[in-house]
Amino acid sequence: MIAVEPIRSEIGSVKTHQLSRRGKLSRNKLHRTRPRSITRKNSNSSLQQLRPVPPTTSRAGTAKAGRRTSGTDVTGTSQHHAAATPMQGPSKSLPLTQGKSKTGQSNKNIKLPRLKSNGSTVDSQAQVKISKYLHEASTETTRRRTEKGRQSERVDSAEDVDKPKPKKSKSVYILEAIKPNNVLSEKEKFMRLRGRYNPQFEYDHPASEKVMKSYSLASHKLAPQALKIMEVALDRYGSYEAFEEAIAGKRLTHTEFCWLFKDFVSAEGLENQVHLNLTPDLLSRAVMTRLRSRPTMNVNSKVLREGWARGLLQHEIGTHYIRSANNRYQPWHNNRGRKRHALLPMNPTEEGLASLHSVLGRDDPCLWRSAMLYYTVYQASLLSFADLFEHLGRFIKNPEVRWDYCMRAKRGQGDTSKPGCFNKDQVYLSGALQVLRFRHEIDFHALVKMGRVAFQDVERLRREAVMADGVVAIPSFMVDLESYLQQLNEIRLKNRITDKELAEAFPTMESCER
């Protein structure tokens, strides 16, 4: 007999290795529970001699496989247990969690056979059987995983043959998607053939048919007003070229325009907030973008004229940028907020307001360009490129300028021999006339402070809008509201647009084009 030290009362019964439902070997930690023998029997009773406990077949409550408990050998008994009952035969450690099998797979998730105990020891023959089983089980697991992987590859390859995966189309801003990459070569060919050729445009990332379809419907509702505005200019100046010389003034150098730009942003308190980029590659005269994460005014360097300079600055910075900056403070600053507040599209209000500001303060605030763009888009929906170019000869003699108008209306198309248009340019005149129609009912200060909202939504959003001075701003040319309204009325009169015509075109705010 070998004397056995009594177990301390705070350590309860020790659970040994258990086999889970899938045959995984697990080992529970020591549970700090009071043994039944101490709670139910007299504490002075002698303890029985400890023997190795065979693993149970419980399927519930097992811990993760491969975790070692301090002071526990491979059979699951404590070190005290091992000292009390010596092993027969040479001692061998079982590869339960350490190392890998010959197949390269870890042994911690291998099924083990249930050990049989003779009441006192586990013989070495059982250990040999376990080692052999571990090797066989690991080999079988590897074989099954390999076969499963091959089946998955065969299924994937069959699906790839039957259903080829479509390539994801690159998302491109619409004005970039409709910009042809062969404009110069097609223009040269068109001019060489004296307009008897329909350009075939190519695009790096063409817009989808669904997107182009949404921009292909042209309106003729304001065609009479557009014609009237252009005929007034022709009656007054004789030709577009004469009108341009009278209104545009002398040409400006890059340096001269940069000084005008700096003076304007300084007067508006926007120093170092907006940057300038002069480029000859624009189809339009100017456009606001973000270049290297900075708000940038891109200006076509070929149209730098003294009479147009201030109008460009009021259009791009005084309208687009300031409304965009104010929009950041509003609850509808993102798409989710716009949907939650059920906002109308910001156009044609946005571009209409900017178009009026382009001519605001001029001696002759003629809306020629807005009217010409509207009329050109309408005719492009009915004519080919060559026919449209010939039709516009009545209003524009210069072939270079006429090409630019035709190009804007036909951009996005591949074969321009067919009728078709890009209708975005109609929002300038449509929005301008809508604003003139309801100029006495619109709160213009609130319209600018609320950001990019339609004038129809101003009263509905007033309670939720951020309107505090110092947070949101209005451009300097709108501070004096009475003077501003007088200038809007002068624009209407100089273009010979009557209030009766405007009321017939837009009876109510709800009837305005979206």
Side-chain angles (χ1 to χ4, degrees), residues 264 268 270 274 288 297 310-327 346-360 435 444 447-453 473-478 484:
F264 185 86
E268 300 296 336
L270 302 174
V274 186
M288 285 294 303
M297 179 182 175
R310 185 166 184 84
L312 285 176
L313 295 170
Q314 291 178 168
H315 182 118
E316 300 297 338
I317 300 177
T319 308
H320 291 321
Y321 176 73
I322 289 181
R323 273 169 57 93
S324 176
N326 292 342
N327 195 76
M346 65 178 182
N347 275 324
T349 298
E350 177 82 9
E351 294 295 354
L353 197 64
S355 297
L356 293 173
H357 293 167
S358 295
V359 300
L360 196 73
V435 172
F444 286 98
L447 177 62
V448 174
K449 288 182 177 181
M450 288 183 182
R452 294 187 165 184
V453 300
I474 57 175
S476 57
F477 55 85
M478 292 183 68
Y484 178 75

Side-chain angles (χ1 to χ4, degrees), residues 287-304:
V287 62
M288 285 294 303
T289 61
R290 295 191 70 86
L291 186 62
R292 300 186 185 90
S293 301
R294 303 184 304 180
T296 303
M297 179 182 175
N298 302 277
V299 179
N300 190 333
S301 57
K302 296 182 294 185
V303 296
L304 298 180

